[in-house]
Structure formats: structure tokens, C-alpha cells
Amino acid sequence: MELYKTQHLKVYNTLSGEKEVFTPIHDGKIGMYVCGPTVYSNVHLGNVRTFMSFDVIFRYLQHLDYKVRYVRNITDAGHLTDDGDVYNDRFVKQSRLEKLEPMEIVQKYTVDFHKVLDAFNFLPPTIEPTATGHILEQIELTQKLIDLGFAYESNGSVYFDVFAYNQKGMNYGELSNRNIDELFANTRDLDGQSEKKNPQDFALWKNASPAHIMRWNSPWGEGFPGWHLECTAMSTKYLGETFDIHGGGMDLKFPHHECEVAQGKACNGHSPVNYWMHTNMLTMNGLRMSKSTGNYILPMELVTGENSFFEKPFAPNIVRFCFLQAHYRSVLDISNDAMLASEKGFQRLMDGIVLLERLPSRNQSTLDIENWRQSCYNAMNDDFNTPILIANLFEGVRFINLVNDGKETLTQEALDLLKTTLHGFVFDVLGIKNEKAASDSTNKLEGVVNMLIEMRNEARANKNWALSDEIRDRLLALNIQLKDGKDGTTFSF
């Protein structure tokens, strides 16, 4: 039996403001869309926190035996957040700053994004679509909204008509709980604002001025897509008109996700998403992270130690463990003390898992492993509560120490269940990399290479140059380079 049939998952839905029993549209299958990065600069720690939260959610849903289609997009065009001056387009700004073509900017920072996420052991999404790869779908969606009376063309740009949307019985502002009459009370005068019927209207397609570098042909002239339109086009293409989960940072709730709700409902007459999920912000030393204030650090600077905020480098596993000790809907504050505490806690957890391998079994169990195991599931079933899960995992470590000290006993079956549960939640669900296994593999490989070096040395002593060269060359073909020196032969991978 699939595990999800025995568990009762509840998810906090931003739309209702409540935890709701999770019921997928299709039994055993889940469609999940998460707004990905805008690749005009290095991914920052706040992004990593958001994507890590949804990585764990993805992992847990798979752990429950759901078949999950996880779509996370790449925004590589059209990120004009205020519908105004073209020079506010982040790709245009960065392209001019770095004196590179826009797609060079895209490639550079997409590669950076993937490298960072790989370092923190993220699972790749099922599909990773790009905005530029879906221009046709966005043009078709814009035309559909015009045909349905929810959008209008003005000077080569197309805007969503928020008042028309509300007049047809729908509610722009329902996701973020905003009153439409108050939404733009302090709207600034922007270039292009006069093109709109109302300041609340947002761009679906923007006319490209001569200064705009990224542009495509459309029925309304050369232009580029609106930021909000991209996610609606990509999510519905791969997940359907209504899908289960849409996630992102809380900063996207308005206007981005609000606009996605409006676009989806206007096109299809019903809500595009059943469960809206939003992660909270990341702070450092109690302050918001910001380049302008200097309270800012890149993810890999935390890992390498090349920063002025932390006394030492912290391995990706430690950073991941630290992040997951806060619930995804809570503010996460990182500091030197917090990272040091996480390092100690992480080591205690790993020491317990290593010790578990050596525990003796007995004929009876004095500890209730079944109930403890279910408490781990209960934590994750309660809106993916990783801090409570981690507390329960430390309870499992306490069990291990009691058995090791001879104060409690476990049967082999109970020991196996304890091991399976700990490994499943630590490595599979929380996504902690099993560095012991990686270390063991490295040690074994080093042992084999050293054995081959000894064989090569023996061949050289016997003047068997052909065998000596063959060993060297075949190792080199495997990217293992031998280096002969006065102190002997060393190697590098």
C-alpha cells in the first residue's frame, strides 16, 4: 500500500489562511509549481532558503509514494516589475553593467544557480522551463484574455483589465487580502502609466522601445512578455488549468501570485491552484539582508568562509541543517552563534546514526519505536514541520544512546525500523547528504589507486616500462593524475 494512504497530510493554504487536509486532484499524483529564479545575478541566500523548503516538500511527497511533477521555471526575460521605464528591466540593467549580451547574462547566472543548488544537495525539478522558451504560449494566452474581455491593447502593449475582472464577479486581491480601492493609492507616475485605463492594471505584453534588447514579434508589434504572464503560461502548460500546489517566497504573494490568480480565473473561469504556499524571509544577525546596508552574503561565501560575518566556513550539510530548524513559514535568522550551534547539533545526529550500526539486538524491546516513527510522520504531516521532525530525530538519537549504554533494549526488528526511519528522514526527506557513505567510497578509491601505484613502482623496478606507462595512462583516462617526485608518487582527482 502506498504510504500516503496511511498518513494524513495538512497544508497551510495562503488563500484560505488555514491548514487544510491535503487532497490532490488526481489520486496518487501531484502537480507542483514553484517560481524559480530571475537569472540576472547570483542566487542569494533568501532564494536558497525558499527553494530548500520546496525541495524538502518535494522529497516528502515522494517519500509518501506520491508521483510528483515538480515544475520550477527560469525567468530569463521580461522581468519588468513596475510596467514602466524599460531601464528598470533587470536584464537590460545587468547587460549594460557587465557589457554582455542578455543571453550571456542568462547563461552565466543559470549555471551559478544550478551549481549552488547542487552544492546544497537539491533534487532537480521534473521540468525546468524558461520564459524565452514559451513566448508563443504567452502570446496565445494574451490574445485569449483580449478575446474574453479581460485585457486591452494600448500603443503596442497589452494590459490586464483589473476593473473588468472585478465587475465580472471575481476578486482581485483575494490571495493577498488587499482592497482594490487601496491597492494603488500611492501609485507613482511611471512611463507607460498613461497607456492604462486604471493604475491597477498590469502588463501582459510590453511594447519594446528602441532601447530594449530582448524583443519578439507579436500581433501587437515587437515586445516582450509581462513577468506575471510567464508563470501562468508555463504552469498551465505542464500541470493543467488547475493544479495542486503553487509555491514561492512571501514577497511574490503580491503582485506576482495575485496576478497569476487573476489570469488563471479570467482564462478558465476557476481558480488555477488549490493550495498556495509561501515561505518566510531570511535575516542575518537580526537584520534584513541587503546589499545597500552591507548586511549581505552569498551562499557559497558562507560555505568557503570568505566573508566577515562568520568565524569559519560551514559545510553545505550544516547550512542545510540550520535552515531546516526553522519552519518554512517562520522568519529564519542566521548568525555565527546559530551556525555553530547547528554544527554541534548536526554532529550529534550524525554520531548517533554511526553508533546505530554497532548496536546489539536483544530478545525484547523496551522502547516503543513504532510510536516514535509515527511522531516523525506526524511532524511532517503538520504542514511540513521540519523543526518538530528534527526534535523527534534527536529523540531517536537518545534511544540509540540508551541502548548503547545498556539501559534499554531493542529487538533486531526494532533496530531495523529505527535505522530505516532515521535514514529515511535524515537523508531522503531532509536531504542531508550522507557524507559517511561518500567518505567511505573515497577511501576505497584511494586504496585502489595506492595499490595500482605500488604495482607501477614494482613494474618500474623490474624495468617493465610498458606496464608502468599503461597504469599511468589508464588512470589518467579516468581523470586520476599521477605525479612522480623525489618523495614518491602522489595522485590527484
Side-chain angles (χ1 to χ4, degrees):
M1 179 186 292
E2 293 87 350
L3 193 53
Y4 65 80
K5 293 181 178 178
T6 66
Q7 303 299 323
H8 305 285
L9 176 62
K10 285 189 173 183
V11 173
Y12 182 86
N13 190 349
T14 303
L15 193 59
S16 67
E18 296 177 351
K19 290 181 187 176
E20 300 177 5
V21 174
F22 180 73
T23 306
I25 297 169
H26 303 289
D27 185 45
K29 298 179 180 179
I30 294 172
M32 180 170 76
Y33 185 90
V34 173
C35 291
T38 302
V39 284
Y40 68 95
S41 64
N42 298 105
V43 61
H44 59 75
L45 265 178
N47 295 142
V48 171
R49 194 265 171 112
T50 291
F51 298 133
M52 188 181 294
S53 297
F54 286 102
D55 180 63
V56 170
I57 289 167
F58 179 38
R59 286 171 175 274
Y60 185 61
L61 294 174
Q62 288 187 315
H63 179 80
L64 292 181
D65 300 319
Y66 281 111
K67 184 176 181 180
V68 186
R69 176 175 285 184
Y70 175 21
V71 182
R72 187 187 66 213
N73 75 297
I74 297 286
T75 296
D76 58 351
H79 197 126
L80 189 61
T81 56
D82 61 14
D83 295 343
D85 188 348
V86 66
Y87 293 105
N88 286 327
D89 187 309
R90 296 174 180 181
F91 292 99
V92 173
K93 280 184 173 181
Q94 200 65 25
S95 179
R96 293 178 183 278
L97 183 65
E98 297 194 33
K99 294 182 172 59
L100 295 172
E101 285 291 325
M103 294 314 290
E104 287 183 276
I105 296 292
V106 166
Q107 178 68 8
K108 175 181 178 179
Y109 293 113
T110 300
V111 169
D112 169 74
F113 173 69
H114 288 142
K115 281 184 177 179
V116 170
L117 266 56
D118 285 346
F120 289 100
N121 200 33
F122 283 55
L123 295 177
T126 317
I127 302 172
E128 192 173 52
T130 63
T132 55
H134 296 78
I135 297 296
L136 179 61
E137 289 86 350
Q138 293 169 76
I139 290 173
E140 291 174 346
L141 188 56
T142 300
Q143 187 61 58
K144 183 176 181 179
L145 288 167
I146 291 174
D147 294 342
L148 291 170
F150 290 103
Y152 57 90
E153 186 270 340
S154 178
N155 296 331
S157 295
V158 180
Y159 295 98
F160 187 92
D161 192 332
V162 171
F163 282 178
Y165 176 79
N166 275 42
Q167 286 169 356
K168 293 185 180 181
M170 289 172 274
N171 177 21
Y172 183 78
E174 61 181 305
L175 181 66
S176 53
N177 292 315
R178 299 191 181 206
N179 186 310
I180 190 171
D181 295 326
E182 300 172 357
L183 285 179
F184 289 85
N186 298 315
T187 302
R188 293 178 292 123
D189 289 329
L190 298 170
D191 174 41
Q193 200 76 287
S194 60
E195 296 178 347
K196 300 180 182 183
K197 291 181 180 178
N198 301 288
Q200 294 91 340
D201 299 345
F202 56 89
L204 300 171
W205 185 266
K206 191 70 179 168
N207 179 45
S209 70
H212 205 280
I213 308 170
M214 302 177 81
R215 54 206 298 145
W216 292 265
N217 289 324
S218 80
W220 317 284
E222 286 193 340
F224 56 96
W227 174 35
H228 316 305
L229 187 70
E230 296 171 353
C231 285
T232 294
M234 289 184 280
S235 63
T236 55
K237 175 171 182 175
Y238 297 109
L239 299 175
E241 292 180 358
T242 305
F243 54 94
D244 298 294
I245 297 172
H246 193 315
M250 65 181 297
D251 57 312
L252 298 180
K253 186 163 50 174
F254 185 87
H256 186 50
H257 290 164
E258 194 71 72
C259 294
E260 284 192 66
V261 172
Q263 290 166 165
K265 292 182 79 170
C267 271
N268 305 309
H270 51 76
S271 181
V273 178
N274 285 349
Y275 302 89
W276 285 92
M277 301 180 67
H278 293 94
T279 60
N280 214 320
M281 66 187 298
L282 174 76
T283 60
M284 185 165 66
N285 297 319
L287 301 172
R288 188 184 182 101
M289 291 189 68
S290 169
K291 285 184 179 179
S292 61
T293 63
N295 194 54
Y296 184 81
I297 183 175
L298 289 172
M300 297 313 293
E301 290 173 341
L302 182 56
V303 172
T304 63
E306 296 173 359
N307 65 84
S308 57
F309 297 98
F310 298 87
E311 67 181 61
K312 55 179 284 190
F314 291 98
N317 259 348
I318 307 300
V319 178
R320 188 173 180 112
F321 186 69
C322 177
F323 280 20
L324 296 178
Q325 288 182 86
H327 189 265
Y328 77 89
R329 287 193 290 112
S330 301
V331 173
L332 168 64
D333 185 63
I334 59 169
S335 64
N336 190 69
D337 288 345
M339 292 303 304
L340 290 172
S342 292
E343 187 173 50
K344 288 181 181 178
F346 174 81
Q347 194 55 56
R348 185 156 63 94
L349 183 60
M350 293 300 106
D351 289 345
I353 289 175
V354 171
L355 183 58
L356 177 57
E357 303 291 336
R358 304 198 299 266
L359 290 187
S361 61
R362 296 291 183 262
N363 294 327
Q364 65 174 0
S365 292
T366 57
L367 294 167
D368 189 344
I369 302 302
E370 284 281 0
N371 275 343
W372 167 79
R373 173 180 179 271
Q374 187 56 48
S375 72
C376 293
Y377 280 102
N378 291 345
M380 289 301 288
N381 291 339
D382 184 18
D383 192 33
F384 310 101
N385 200 321
T386 55
I388 300 300
L389 169 63
I390 290 171
N392 286 324
L393 295 177
F394 278 121
E395 179 70 0
V397 171
R398 188 178 74 85
F399 290 170
I400 293 168
N401 290 326
L402 287 172
V403 173
N404 185 62
D405 294 341
K407 297 177 181 178
E408 302 285 357
T409 59
L410 292 174
T411 63
Q412 188 60 52
E413 182 180 4
L415 276 172
D416 290 343
L417 184 60
L418 179 58
K419 180 178 178 180
T420 300
T421 304
L422 271 172
H423 280 221
F425 279 104
V426 172
F427 301 129
D428 297 339
V429 175
L430 294 182
I432 300 298
K433 189 176 289 186
N434 190 344
E435 291 185 334
K436 180 182 180 299
S439 175
D440 288 347
S441 298
T442 301
N443 290 338
K444 289 176 182 176
L445 178 58
E446 288 178 351
V448 171
V449 174
N450 283 323
M451 180 182 69
L452 289 169
I453 288 174
E454 289 177 10
M455 292 174 62
R456 180 171 175 265
N457 289 339
E458 186 176 342
R460 295 173 75 185
N462 295 329
K463 299 188 180 337
N464 188 347
W465 309 118
L467 178 58
S468 170
D469 291 347
E470 183 182 2
I471 292 172
R472 180 198 63 205
D473 294 343
R474 293 184 70 171
L475 285 173
L476 186 60
L478 297 171
N479 292 320
I480 301 172
Q481 185 171 14
L482 300 185
K483 189 171 184 178
D484 296 319
K486 62 180 181 180
D487 296 325
T489 302
T490 58
F491 65 92
S492 60
F493 296 118

